[in-house]
Amino acid sequence: MSRITFEEGVELYKNADLFDLQQKAVALRNTKNPASEVTYVIDTNPNYTNACEADCLFCAFYRKPDDDEVYVKTLEEVRQFMLDAKKLNATTVLLQGGLHPDLPLSYYTDIIKMTTEEFPEIVPHFFSAPEIQNIAEVCGMTDKEVLQEFYNAGQRSLPGGGAEILSQKVRNRISPKKQKVAKWLSIHEDAHEVGMRSTATMMYGHREEAEDVIEHLEVIRQIQDRTGGFTAFVPWSYKKDNTLLGKKVTRQTTAKDYYRMLAMSRIYLDNFNHIQASWFSEGKDVGIQSLSYGADDFGGTLFEENVHAETGHINKTSVEGVKQMIREGGFEPIQRDTFYERVVKA
Ligand code: SF4
């Protein structure tokens, strides 16, 4: 199948029969990944601070820097996160925070060094693109200099958070003070250039239209053509409870919207090997069904998660639970690492 254009993408996303999309997506998935297998990772998502001044309308997680509920974890407390993760056999820790107004560069590099030196079994998947921009601004550095310092400290993987919808029109509506589209993209391209891999994400189901969704897929497809640095694409639906944006958004996304998004991602992102479905963000039943819409990965165990939890969206499972859901979907579960390589047990 030849690459589809932006216009064709919009038409498919708006009007294609879901069954037809599914057939195309599954056929493409099976050219890139073993048809009978679905991968998963053992991971956890702690946070080092909830301080932030970006005021994103969809966010229930942050607190203003002078709020009584603000926290900043010490190096010792972050070490404890890693010890807990190690006990649970996690191979990936996704550490993120709000955009703290004055932590020094050493705060971040000390965390990376401590993790890589004391926990070689854990891959640090730390600090999303908006955090990189914020750290650069606070420390008077360029984004690429910050990424290079993080690389030198041992970091090799950057999470794809903060993408939401990569259409400036939508971002102006939902997070006007947050990072611009061009900056999110340039930071990921910089990360790939210094030698890191990264993921690309999308949060849909709020103020976007079909054209915005396809614009998002188009701009990350262009970067992937240039760098090949994205490991996977991870879409999820917006959770509106406890958020200011939730008062304005009347639509409610459905399971079929999610299946359509996964299938569309697989078809449009012809240069991505991995499309991730999620038991966590969409619920277990929808997660299991979604594996039949072109995804080849089921995300992680997410032992700790606080961002969605602040919207009241809480989902828990275990390694066995994840494996069981993959089996219920009709696939063999295969453990992978942060870089989508199989974990070979000694
Ligand atoms: S989404 Fe991130 S940048 Fe936006 S307010 Fe929440 S913590 Fe801050």
Side-chain angles (χ1 to χ4, degrees):
M1 188 178 141
S2 59
R3 171 168 278 193
I4 62 171
T5 65
F6 175 84
E7 289 75 20
E8 289 165 342
V10 172
E11 172 59 26
L12 278 180
Y13 185 62
K14 276 183 173 170
N15 297 320
D17 178 77
L18 181 57
F19 181 74
D20 290 344
L21 276 186
Q22 179 185 25
Q23 299 301 303
K24 283 194 185 82
V26 170
L28 285 168
R29 171 226 193 275
N30 292 344
T31 65
K32 294 172 186 263
N33 298 280
S36 62
E37 297 176 356
V38 164
T39 50
Y40 69 95
V41 66
I42 304 181
D43 68 352
T44 184
N45 289 19
N47 302 99
Y48 61 92
T49 184
N50 60 351
C52 194
E53 293 183 306
D55 296 325
C56 300
L57 298 179
F58 55 83
C59 181
F61 165 75
Y62 78 101
R63 299 291 182 271
K64 292 281 197 186
D66 59 359
D67 191 287
D68 289 345
E69 294 180 13
V70 155
Y71 62 79
V72 177
K73 300 295 181 185
T74 63
L75 184 64
E76 190 49 42
E77 288 172 317
V78 177
R79 179 179 282 116
Q80 190 59 49
F81 287 154
M82 300 305 158
L83 281 165
D84 294 343
K86 181 179 172 176
K87 275 186 211 146
L88 295 165
N89 298 317
T91 62
T92 300
V93 173
L94 197 173
L95 184 72
Q96 294 185 112
L99 310 183
H100 195 282
D102 55 22
L103 290 172
L105 187 73
S106 59
Y107 174 84
Y108 304 95
T109 50
D110 286 351
I111 288 176
I112 299 168
K113 282 182 200 150
M114 177 274 292
T115 305
T116 53
E117 286 166 13
E118 298 177 31
F119 302 92
E121 57 279 86
I122 291 173
V123 172
H125 187 54
F126 296 170
F127 316 126
S128 62
E131 291 163 273
I132 299 294
Q133 178 184 356
N134 178 62
I135 295 163
E137 288 171 2
V138 169
C139 300
M141 300 167 72
T142 66
D143 304 324
K144 202 164 187 178
E145 285 167 346
V146 171
L147 288 162
Q148 188 64 59
E149 289 289 336
F150 288 5
Y151 183 91
N152 295 346
Q155 185 167 336
R156 298 290 181 270
S157 185
L158 195 75
E164 284 83 59
I165 293 283
L166 293 169
S167 150
Q168 197 54 52
K169 180 183 75 186
V170 177
R171 291 175 94 76
N172 292 345
R173 290 182 193 149
I174 67 170
S175 52
K177 289 160 69 178
K178 198 174 183 178
Q179 181 167 72
K180 301 279 184 280
V181 170
K183 196 65 153 168
W184 189 96
L185 295 169
S186 72
I187 285 175
H188 279 265
E189 197 154 3
D190 285 347
H192 299 166
E193 282 172 9
V194 304
M196 292 187 194
R197 305 295 303 276
S198 70
T199 53
T201 65
M202 177 195 285
M203 182 188 75
Y204 70 94
H206 38 89
R207 306 291 301 276
E208 84 287 351
E209 290 159 17
E211 287 77 6
D212 304 306
V213 167
I214 303 304
E215 185 179 332
H216 184 121
L217 298 179
E218 172 63 28
V219 291
I220 60 172
R221 189 170 76 174
Q222 287 177 12
I223 290 203
Q224 186 74 332
D225 276 345
R226 290 198 291 275
T227 70
F230 287 121
T231 50
F233 178 66
V234 191
W236 64 79
S237 60
Y238 165 57
K239 308 290 176 291
K240 62 187 188 178
D241 289 349
N242 303 331
T243 70
L244 286 172
L245 185 61
K247 297 188 175 77
K248 296 183 184 171
V249 173
T250 49
R251 69 198 263 202
Q252 187 71 50
T253 58
T254 65
K256 283 188 176 169
D257 294 337
Y258 184 59
Y259 303 151
R260 177 172 291 271
M261 179 62 74
L262 285 174
M264 197 63 227
S265 311
R266 175 59 80 183
I267 293 166
Y268 204 89
L269 298 175
D270 56 3
N271 51 6
F272 277 63
N273 284 340
H274 304 293
I275 303 291
Q276 186 183 117
S278 174
W279 64 272
F280 175 80
S281 67
E282 310 308 315
K284 293 177 183 171
D285 291 341
V286 174
I288 291 167
Q289 295 302 320
S290 71
L291 292 174
S292 298
Y293 286 82
D296 63 290
D297 183 81
F298 208 32
T301 49
L302 286 167
F303 292 126
E304 178 173 351
E305 202 286 335
N306 306 304
V307 176
H308 282 94
E310 289 280 349
T311 68
H313 179 86
I314 297 172
N315 245 340
K316 293 275 181 204
T317 191
S318 60
V319 176
E320 263 320 304
V322 167
K323 289 163 75 172
Q324 182 56 29
M325 283 185 270
I326 292 173
R327 288 193 194 101
E328 283 177 39
F331 298 90
E332 181 189 353
I334 303 289
Q335 190 186 349
R336 66 158 172 91
D337 64 14
T338 319
F339 304 102
Y340 287 76
E341 300 292 335
R342 282 170 186 249
V343 172
V344 180
K345 305 262 168 48

